[in-house]
Amino acid sequence: LQLDFWLAPRGLGYPVDVRVPFPSLQPLKAHLEANGISYSIMIEDVQALVDHEKMEMFRSTRSQLPLSTSTFDYSSYHSLDEIYAFMDVLVAENPNLVSKLEIGRTTENRPIYVLKFSKGGTNRPAIWIDTGIHSREWVTQATGVWLAKKIVQDHENDGDLASILDKLDIFLEIVTNPDGFAFTQTQNRMWRKTRSKHSSSLCVGVDPNRNWDAGFGGSGASGNPCSETYHGPYANSEPEVKAIVDFVKNHGNIKAFISIHSYSQLLLYPYGYTRTPVPDQKELHEISEKAVAALSSLYGTNYKYGSIITTIYQASGGTIDWTYNQGIKYSFTFELRDTGRYGFLLPASQIVPTAQETWLALKVIMTHTRDHPY
Amino acid sequence: DISDAGLKYHLELVLEDILDNDSTVNCTAEVLYHSGNKNLAPDVQFTIHGELKNTDDADNIFYNRIKSLEKELVAENIPDSHGNVAPEMEPIRLLAWAASGYVIWQNSNENTDFQLAQIKHVKQVKRNDEYLEFDYMILLHDMASQEIIPWQMTVLWHPQHGVQVTQDSRQPKHELE
């Protein structure tokens, strides 16, 4: 009958709420009446309600698009449109430093944008940073926006950053999962995955951090399309992932790759899919120690660090396992604030402090990359 | 420590008052995960080495405020999408935190790592006796599987008698969302 329980049966005398697909209405009514079970109709047409709500939400979220990055509010969460508009304004204000690249399109045909920060040269060695690959981790996209502004603001007056940009380019993908992000704004704040449909399953979405070609499909990911860690039908099935894979391969000169998540307050390096330590384990561990110390120095925020599999859990098909195996030695993942008190629903007042402390850790990684060319 | 009944862990931890970062108290605990019946909640024995703060005043203020409401309290999405919690909802949230601790304990094993992610809905249920009753629909986040699990819980509270979860049940995930 494909009954969708909204309030599950829990015992005698307690009500049960159920959404009934149209074709099952008659059979269910007949069954209830035959068994003397009374019922009442709470909502005649769920679809009509949903459509109406969508329309209302669209109307009420008509917000001001940013006119300048100086008046942009970095201490609040923004919509996808606002972030995309911010990018264009940032580029317009700093055309000699920043450019916007479209690296692909999502399942729902949204453009996927990467900002490039460069002081010149041709195909310089580069640092890659991405935020928002898991759409519900809102502090990460917000941190990405702040980072973009910070790089522009400090690229001349901060000695470390200036010398980094003398040698390296920085690529920043702020909304790595635009479909998922839009979904968290309109339908389900806790949505993590992409919005693709691959199987005949009712369930939507693939975990973009299990879809990479590194131990793909192994332990630490799920083959169930309804799972939050569903790896997808095959590696790079997700256009959001494929776009980055293609970019990294075509660029050929990325030297550090940092993928930003929340929450848990961790700095992680590969591997997640196997217990075998990476050959560069010692160096990555030392960098992590320094980066975490720098982060903590600002507000005392405590981070743990280590390889993915020993610090958080086994995870296969992960981003930085793939990038490391591509030869990008300095591959790291951050899990930003907090440790569970607010979790994914981190108050906006913590966006800027989180971004500020994370920036200090990023500078440690970038400085090390600059000083250790390979 | 490993015994025949399962895996036993000895923990030393520091309890920190959420509302006052400087207020901490040391605690030791022993947790036994049963190897036989996996549906049994882990055994927990603990000792608090110190005093917990007295909250009588705040408790009574909250108790009297709810008791004197004309209409039953109803609220949703605490915190909201942006992490906001209205000040008058803070005690409702703290109560959910305490109650979800019980639900989490009863449903934990060595492969789970639950946190309270959000209160989707809370409704006060009027009672004739001195207790306050709230019917909560919460979301638990399991870090290990990354799943978000809706859970219903009925919570009783009284300033002198503390928190009780009288009923709780895991809810189905809405696959179409």
Side-chain angles (χ1 to χ4, degrees), chain B residues 27-68:
Chain B
C27 179
T28 50
E30 299 219 324
V31 177
L32 173 65
Y33 288 105
H34 299 279
S35 54
N37 183 350
K38 291 283 182 192
N39 289 329
L40 275 181
D43 275 350
V44 179
Q45 306 289 323
F46 68 94
T47 310
I48 298 183
H49 307 281
E51 294 262 305
L52 292 179
K53 215 164 67 172
N54 183 299
T55 56
D56 288 352
D57 286 347
D59 287 348
N60 287 325
I61 291 173
F62 171 61
Y63 181 78
N64 290 324
R65 175 163 73 87
I66 303 296
K67 267 292 180 193
S68 62

Side-chain angles (χ1 to χ4, degrees), chain A residues 36 65 81 92 109 183 236 240 341 347:
Chain A
L65 294 183
D81 289 343
N109 206 31
F183 200 73
N236 305 330
E240 296 81 356
R341 181 167 166 196

Side-chain angles (χ1 to χ4, degrees), chain A residues 322-342:
Chain A
W322 180 80
T323 58
Y324 183 85
N325 285 346
Q326 288 296 299
I328 303 174
K329 188 172 23 159
Y330 303 123
S331 288
F332 293 92
T333 286
F334 279 80
E335 292 278 355
L336 302 184
R337 293 193 194 181
D338 59 12
T339 53
R341 181 167 166 196
Y342 287 95

